[in-house]
Amino acid sequence: MKATTHTELYRAYEDPLHPRPPVERIMAWSGIRQGFRKKLPALSFFGPSVIVALVGCVWVHLSFSLKGMLKDGDGSDAVAATIQQVLGNVSSTIYQFMQTEQFFAFLTVAWYGSRLIADDRRLSANLLYFARPITPIRYILGKLGTVGAFGVFTLLAPALLICVQAAFSSPDWVFLTDNFGVVIAVVGYCLLWIFVMSSVILAISSCFKRRSLSLVCCFIVLFLSHGITQVLSEATDKGYYGLLSLMSNLQSISKWLFHESSLITNMANRRTGMGSRFDVDITHSFLALGVMTLIAWIILYRNVKRMEVIS
Amino acid sequence: MTQPAIEIRNLDKRYGKVHALRSVSVTVPAGPVGLLGPNGAGKTTMLKLLLGMLAPSGGEAKIAGLNPTSRKERLAIRQKVGYMPESDCLIPGMSAVELVALLGRLSGMPAPDAMTRAHEVLDYVGTGEERYRKNEEYSTGMKQRIKLAQALVHDPPILLLDEPTNGLDPKGRKFLLDLVADLGRKQGKHVLLCTHLLPDVERTCDHVIVMNQGSVIEQGSIANLTETTANVVHVAIQATSEESRTQFIARVREHGHKVQGVAGNTLHLLFDQDEVPMDGFFELARSTGVVLTHIVPQRSTLEDAFLKALEQDNNGTMPVTTGEAIV
């Protein structure tokens, strides 16, 4: 027999509502949960990042182990030296792996981020959100939290994992004492990358109602702009075209950060300067990136504001 | 006297050249109120203006004493109002219970309360075990119930329901209207039911606001709008023969009363004077061998009032200049 008691009753909610609920956190967490709900995309996007991170961990472990073998001076010196040369130093290894991780991180962030606002627009889910005490900025922060978390999972966390492996594999914590700047550079660069990329992808997502269009536009903005600026730079032999490319600017900044981090741990080299190593002045790269992010936020805010209140 | 739930003065909304709302002034009393009008009348525009989802071109509105154009008050309004949109806006990939709990939390409820409350309101709207299915798998009827549940989750005193019975079968429609009637009449909610279906309003509301082409063309309590049409009476007779029936009708006409229509043994009589002369009438029946079985003064239906208002409106009481209003 069907119980009908509670289907016929309406109970009032007596407790007061929080006047300013933490909507950013609630929305971000909800988005993350939804993202992980579909197993195949989750496996496809996070799997490669995990594999790269594991390979990186093995790589840095081998580097330190071979260094140890060389110091011990046993018979296999020559072989170890050769392998050591192939493996390179740990800082550059971390840098290389982080560069690889960036690709997977971009795929992940673009896949999940491109639908976040586009889907809300397509489904008119903004009517549900903005019927609640949510401001456009807090809505954006909620979405940024979701897409940023995917960036953290695929870029920052694997890079930090390699750093942790390096710290544990290095004798007498020499990685931390001599190369702590690398860790700072990793964290700083990853956070910058995640913030910039998430902002750009959300801005693109807010311009479309279809996820597929939004996703295509993400690839165009990142790869096509990079390709075109590279061709222009090559053709005109002028490096500043690279300032128009998001990817080029991020690359310049990452090179600069990792170079700077090695200077942090090596005070003697600090005085030698580093401007000549780069085609483009790093200040310009930061400026260009800042302008791109600002434009992304203006687009994002404008579109989300229109989702809340149509003038 | 109870404070009105919604007050609107000279509210105006233009979408470019389209005039969606034309200086609307209306006071929505407490209790269940129907916002009735054909498609494109400006009903949804009015709801969105009340929630602050649209910026008015002119005039002002107050809902629960708060102004939706003020940013601060807009947020307060959204805690006091439950909005059920017309569009199919449920987020895919989530179950109904997750969605309703999420929206409860976004309204300011603590997580455990939001989840408990989500189950309560989903019980109330009769979703049963189906609440655990994904939103994209629901039928239209179930989606409408879930949309009502999300509007109720934070227990707001005011409910703005936009076409809640759209796409429902008769059973589902009855169920949802029963819920709306319960909310408006027994639970003390101020329900503004926006619909183009007259029976929905008749069944659930005490007051009605009729809109057409962006203007309010009629408003008042349903009882007043459907008041007795004083001089029209339905009379049912039982005649022993066709001859006596014809004779009765002829005698009625002889006495100066107009017979508007005859359908079998039911006559529609129109009297010139306000008072129906019952005594003479019985005498007429007796003399012609007819038994009067039913004498009921005619009440105009809400449909009559609605159509009359629309007719008056379209006869030039309001200029139509810019085509269909969009919502």
Side-chain angles (χ1 to χ4, degrees):
Chain A
M1 197 174 78
K2 189 186 171 194
T4 55
T5 48
H6 56 285
T7 59
E8 292 167 353
L9 285 176
Y10 181 84
R11 289 207 310 152
Y13 180 70
E14 306 286 348
D15 294 349
L17 298 172
H18 195 295
R20 207 178 146 81
V23 292
E24 309 89 343
R25 190 165 52 80
I26 297 165
M27 283 179 67
W29 181 237
S30 162
I32 294 165
R33 283 185 63 183
Q34 259 191 286
F36 280 111
R37 192 150 293 171
K38 286 191 175 172
K39 300 289 179 283
L40 188 64
L43 200 68
S44 310
F45 289 110
F46 295 104
S49 286
V50 173
I51 291 167
V52 172
L54 291 177
V55 171
C57 288
V58 173
W59 198 286
V60 293
H61 179 73
L62 280 177
S63 297
F64 280 112
S65 302
L66 288 170
K67 266 185 189 167
M69 282 171 65
L70 283 171
K71 276 183 186 167
D72 292 345
D74 62 9
S76 56
D77 270 7
V79 180
T82 311
I83 297 171
Q84 173 66 32
Q85 207 171 7
V86 171
L87 291 176
N89 74 40
V90 174
S91 299
S92 66
T93 302
I94 291 171
Y95 175 76
Q96 292 299 332
F97 274 95
M98 207 182 64
Q99 293 294 318
T100 313
E101 291 280 10
Q102 270 185 76
F103 175 70
F104 297 113
F106 171 73
L107 291 181
T108 311
V109 168
W111 176 262
Y112 287 106
S114 61
R115 73 169 173 77
L116 282 181
I117 299 178
D119 272 2
D120 282 356
R121 284 190 64 194
R122 181 172 58 84
L123 300 160
S124 306
N126 55 315
L127 293 178
L128 294 182
Y129 286 123
F130 290 116
R132 262 78 200 174
I134 298 175
T135 60
I137 283 288
R138 300 184 82 193
Y139 173 87
I140 294 170
L141 291 177
K143 297 291 179 186
L144 196 72
T146 301
V147 74
F150 290 122
V152 167
F153 297 148
T154 48
L155 185 65
L156 182 61
L160 278 180
L161 188 70
I162 298 172
C163 290
V164 169
Q165 178 62 48
F168 279 102
S169 299
S170 60
D172 303 325
W173 307 100
V174 70
F175 175 75
L176 288 181
T177 53
D178 289 0
N179 293 84
F180 191 69
V182 172
V183 181
I184 292 170
V186 163
V187 174
Y189 177 71
C190 288
L191 290 179
L192 177 77
W193 188 96
I194 291 164
F195 178 71
V196 171
M197 209 53 93
S198 303
S199 304
V200 170
I201 286 168
L202 282 182
I204 292 168
S205 178
S206 73
C207 295
F208 296 95
K209 283 190 174 181
R210 293 230 160 257
R211 188 255 193 97
S212 49
L213 289 175
S214 170
L215 192 60
V216 167
C217 193
C218 289
F219 279 93
I220 288 173
V221 165
L222 197 78
F223 293 116
L224 199 67
S225 69
H226 184 64
I228 290 170
T229 53
Q230 288 284 91
V231 169
L232 283 172
S233 296
E234 289 292 326
T236 59
D237 205 25
K238 285 171 183 166
Y240 56 72
Y241 279 110
L243 290 173
L244 298 172
S245 158
L246 189 65
M247 216 198 254
S248 299
N249 287 315
L250 283 167
Q251 271 176 359
S252 304
I253 289 168
S254 69
K255 280 180 190 170
W256 174 79
L257 267 174
F258 277 81
H259 182 65
E260 182 71 3
S261 68
S262 66
L263 290 178
I264 289 168
T265 53
N266 188 351
M267 294 302 287
N269 291 341
R270 184 181 280 274
R271 297 180 200 97
T272 61
M274 25 68 67
S276 60
R277 285 185 60 177
F278 303 105
D279 298 337
V280 179
D281 189 340
I282 196 65
T283 317
H284 293 162
S285 282
F286 269 113
L287 212 59
L289 208 62
V291 169
M292 285 175 191
T293 313
L294 185 67
I295 291 169
W297 270 83
I298 290 169
I299 294 169
L300 189 56
Y301 184 76
R302 187 179 153 273
N303 289 339
V304 172
K305 182 78 186 160
R306 289 191 65 187
M307 286 164 69
E308 188 212 11
V309 180
I310 302 164
S311 56
Chain B
M1 191 181 156
T2 321
Q3 194 196 349
I6 298 164
E7 278 182 292
I8 296 169
R9 287 193 208 294
N10 303 320
L11 198 64
D12 214 71
K13 179 65 191 172
R14 284 175 181 275
Y15 297 100
K17 286 182 181 176
V18 179
H19 211 160
L21 277 190
R22 298 158 190 272
S23 196
V24 168
S25 293
V26 67
T27 301
V28 180
V33 177
L35 185 58
L36 195 60
N39 293 331
K43 307 182 296 287
T44 304
T45 298
M46 192 196 269
L47 293 195
K48 287 184 178 173
L49 283 163
L50 290 172
L51 272 171
M53 287 177 166
L54 286 173
S57 309
E60 62 168 8
K62 291 233 165 168
I63 181 163
L66 300 163
N67 181 1
T69 52
S70 151
R71 194 179 155 187
K72 197 177 172 187
E73 291 186 20
R74 186 158 66 224
L75 297 181
I77 285 171
R78 290 171 183 178
Q79 281 196 321
K80 293 187 174 182
V81 174
Y83 175 52
M84 177 182 177
E86 182 186 4
S87 56
D88 183 9
C89 51
L90 302 181
I91 302 162
M94 276 181 160
S95 67
V97 70
E98 282 173 322
L99 177 70
V100 176
L102 168 71
L103 294 171
R105 290 188 71 193
L106 292 177
S107 299
M109 301 172 86
D113 285 11
M115 186 52 83
T116 309
R117 179 78 185 161
H119 282 287
E120 279 178 13
V121 289
L122 286 167
D123 273 336
Y124 178 70
V125 300
T127 51
E129 291 302 308
E130 291 180 336
R131 73 190 64 177
Y132 298 106
R133 275 164 49 192
K134 297 263 170 63
N135 284 329
E136 58 268 32
E137 295 169 8
Y138 290 119
S139 64
T140 309
M142 198 54 78
K143 281 180 182 173
Q144 295 294 75
R145 291 179 189 202
I146 293 162
K147 284 198 292 184
L148 179 61
Q150 65 78 28
L152 287 172
V153 67
H154 55 299
D155 193 25
I158 299 172
L159 287 170
L160 305 181
L161 311 179
D162 197 354
E163 308 276 4
T165 55
N166 256 10
L168 298 185
D169 59 25
K171 196 179 161 196
R173 190 160 153 256
K174 182 185 176 302
F175 182 83
L176 209 77
L177 289 175
D178 286 348
L179 289 180
V180 174
D182 180 61
L183 288 166
R185 294 195 173 125
K186 290 184 186 164
Q187 311 304 334
K189 304 280 178 205
H190 305 306
V191 180
L192 186 59
L193 172 71
C194 174
T195 181
H196 60 271
L197 301 170
L198 287 157
D200 290 7
V201 173
E202 266 183 318
R203 190 163 165 173
T204 55
C205 301
D206 300 333
H207 283 75
V208 66
I209 297 163
V210 184
M211 290 187 76
N212 186 37
Q213 293 177 335
S215 297
V216 172
I217 56 170
E218 188 71 90
Q219 58 177 309
S221 74
I222 292 179
N224 286 343
L225 289 174
T226 60
E227 65 189 356
T228 309
T229 309
N231 50 1
V232 179
V233 174
H234 290 274
V235 176
I237 57 171
Q238 200 174 12
T240 48
S241 64
E242 179 61 31
E243 192 189 345
S244 62
R245 196 179 75 95
T246 317
Q247 202 181 2
F248 174 75
I249 294 169
R251 293 290 300 277
V252 168
R253 281 184 174 140
E254 275 171 24
H255 276 75
H257 307 313
K258 288 177 184 163
V259 181
Q260 276 194 324
V262 181
N265 281 338
T266 305
L267 317 178
H268 289 247
L269 302 180
L270 182 69
F271 296 92
D272 286 338
Q273 62 270 52
D274 286 344
E275 287 292 315
V276 178
M278 296 305 294
D279 291 345
F281 212 64
F282 282 112
E283 185 55 43
L284 264 179
R286 197 165 31 243
S287 65
T288 52
V290 164
V291 179
L292 299 176
T293 58
H294 206 72
I295 302 175
V296 183
Q298 180 180 300
R299 292 187 75 88
S300 58
T301 61
L302 188 56
E303 187 174 0
D304 294 334
F306 177 63
L307 291 174
K308 194 174 154 192
L310 279 184
E311 199 178 320
Q312 280 175 355
D313 186 37
N314 292 333
N315 280 345
T317 52
M318 190 206 64
V320 180
T321 53
T322 50
E324 286 269 311
I326 56 160
V327 180

